[in-house]
Amino acid sequence: MKLVLKLIAGILAGLLLGLYAPEWVARVLFTAKTVIGQLITFTIPLIILFFIMSGIASLPKNSGKLLGKTVALSYCSTILAGLFAFTVASHLIPQFTTAAEPTTATATAIKLASYVNLEIPPLFGVMSALAAAFVFGIGISATQATDLRRVADQGRDIIDRLLAKVIIPLLPFYIAGVFVEMTVEGTVFATLKTFGVVLVMAILMHWIWLSVLFVGTGLALGRSPAQLIKNMLPAYFTALGTMSSAATIPVALQSSKNNGVSDGIANFTVPLCATIHLCGSTITLVTCATAVMFLSEHLAIPGIETMLPFIMMLGVIMIAAPGAPGGGVMSALGLLTSMLGFGEASIALMIALYLAQDSFGTACNVTGDGVIALWADRFANGSESAAPVAEAEQA
């Protein structure tokens, strides 16, 4: 929550400085935004490479069909949540907000220039990082290459520290620079109006999706949906405070066990789903991306034929996203630029929108994990033998 308050302070500072400060002050903030943006662009492929490689390499080996069913169910939930979000957002956002249109005032507005023209090109492209992550991640898991796995884990830890100690603390200055630029160019107030609409819409969709998951699961398994949701509420409210799926695992474990999930299945599925079941984050990212495209003069809301591949890739690229706040959006930046054509200003809006409600998306992820655990318990007690479960627990 401190990060959210800092982001709000950055937005307000950018707005006020853009309105009342001398031009040189606005240029200083714009320069800071430019330099931080270059650092973020450099880091994106490294996030994809190390986090996905480490995540795939750490998946349990020889854990039987239970692992496959759990991963498939988590992925389907994530994809369907994204499609639901896009369907709702693409219809409602144009009705409640105003699209960006070039105007004479905007065209003649002052264009800020950076004092420093610093370029930090990435070491490799986004798709190269994704392909390498899968090749090495699957290879490490198959061959049990402990040295390479250690490199992947240590690389992940280094990038995680870079995010937690450098990039995330700099985000308020980055956002302030973005809002200084928008204020000078005269587009800031339309953007702020859209912020409120998008945040409320995303949170409501989180609750609707969780209701669908729990009601459907309760009816299918002969359980009370209200009781299932009640038992998961401690995990939901813990995630609101921690903004981290990883930090909420102990509470989510106990909540799943209170729903009748056996200890072994809960211990297997809940930590696994903390990295692969991201329905809430997907709803947020898709909703925010749709809003940003609607706001941008250079982008437009695409059709389902463009968004479906993006959503499907999103469910993969956020595997093992860092536990620090903002991990989901930082992992997705590469897709936003390569598949949806986002520029630097659009990326900054995405970061601000996403982090403003990151805790609600995380809470939706964690609470939804309770549904996956219930189904995994059903699978294990049905057609699955006890051997795969035991192997999964050991792994």
Side-chain angles (χ1 to χ4, degrees):
M1 298 309 298
K2 290 181 179 179
L3 177 60
V4 174
L5 293 176
K6 290 178 181 178
L7 288 175
I8 294 174
I11 292 173
L12 293 176
L15 177 62
L16 294 175
L17 292 175
L19 289 173
Y20 303 113
E23 182 183 345
W24 70 267
V25 176
R27 287 188 64 186
V28 168
L29 267 180
F30 182 77
T31 301
K33 185 216 76 167
T34 302
V35 174
I36 298 170
Q38 288 291 317
L39 178 60
I40 292 173
T41 302
F42 172 80
T43 309
I44 289 170
L46 299 178
I47 295 173
I48 294 171
L49 174 64
F50 286 111
F51 280 106
I52 295 182
M53 180 168 62
S54 176
I56 294 176
S58 64
L59 290 177
K61 186 183 179 183
N62 299 325
S63 54
K65 295 180 180 179
L66 180 62
L67 173 61
K69 289 183 176 181
T70 303
V71 172
L73 189 60
S74 299
Y75 186 69
C76 286
S77 173
T78 300
I79 300 308
L80 291 175
L83 290 174
F84 163 67
F86 177 69
T87 302
V88 174
S90 61
H91 285 85
L92 294 186
I93 286 177
Q95 297 183 25
F96 290 100
T97 58
T98 304
E101 295 180 358
T103 62
T104 303
T106 301
T108 59
I110 298 174
K111 297 292 184 181
L112 295 177
S114 173
Y115 284 115
V116 178
N117 294 318
L118 178 66
E119 293 187 5
I120 311 176
L123 295 176
F124 34 76
V126 170
M127 298 310 296
S128 297
L130 185 61
F134 272 95
V135 169
F136 284 100
I138 295 172
I140 292 170
S141 179
T143 63
Q144 295 297 294
T146 55
D147 290 339
L148 277 179
R149 181 171 178 175
R150 190 178 301 111
V151 170
D153 291 343
Q154 291 175 346
R156 178 202 62 199
D157 293 341
I158 290 172
I159 300 302
D160 195 16
R161 179 171 287 270
L162 175 65
L163 288 173
K165 301 296 184 181
V166 180
I167 293 180
I168 297 296
L170 288 176
L171 284 181
F173 299 97
Y174 182 62
I175 299 301
V178 171
F179 275 83
V180 159
E181 182 182 14
M182 287 193 298
T183 302
V184 171
E185 294 181 355
T187 61
V188 68
F189 293 107
T191 301
L192 288 175
K193 178 184 176 182
T194 304
F195 264 40
V197 173
V198 172
L199 295 180
V200 172
M201 186 182 301
I203 294 171
L204 288 177
M205 283 194 284
H206 292 158
W207 294 344
I208 293 171
W209 186 250
L210 287 177
S211 299
V212 170
L213 290 180
F214 278 96
V215 170
T217 298
L219 294 176
L221 301 182
R223 303 283 299 277
S224 167
Q227 186 62 41
L228 294 177
I229 294 176
K230 179 182 177 182
N231 289 335
M232 290 301 300
L233 286 179
Y236 183 90
F237 287 109
T238 301
L240 282 180
T242 63
M243 297 176 67
S244 169
S245 297
T248 314
I249 285 176
V251 181
L253 276 171
Q254 187 58 52
S255 296
S256 291
K257 293 174 183 178
N258 291 342
N259 270 337
V261 179
S262 62
D263 288 356
I265 298 300
N267 293 338
F268 166 62
T269 56
V270 171
L272 177 63
C273 288
T275 63
I276 65 174
H277 184 226
L278 301 159
C279 57
S281 297
T282 302
I283 288 174
T284 302
L285 283 167
V286 171
T287 304
C288 294
T290 304
V292 171
M293 287 186 287
F294 184 72
L295 281 174
S296 174
E297 297 179 12
H298 309 291
L299 299 172
I301 298 178
I304 190 65
E305 68 279 359
T306 299
M307 286 302 294
L308 180 57
F310 170 75
I311 293 169
M312 294 179 69
M313 290 295 294
L314 200 59
V316 174
I317 210 165
M318 289 194 297
I319 291 176
V329 70
M330 299 305 295
S331 300
L333 293 184
L335 289 184
L336 292 168
T337 56
S338 63
M339 297 186 72
L340 298 184
F342 275 38
E344 187 177 351
S346 300
I347 288 295
L349 288 178
M350 275 295 301
I351 293 174
L353 273 170
Y354 183 91
L355 290 180
Q357 64 76 68
D358 188 21
S359 57
F360 288 94
T362 301
C364 182
N365 293 339
V366 170
T367 309
D369 294 346
V371 170
I372 307 298
L374 285 166
W375 281 106
D377 193 58
R378 175 67 175 267
F379 296 150
N381 293 327
S383 59
E384 293 292 323
S385 64
V389 179
E391 294 174 5
E393 293 176 18
Q394 184 176 4

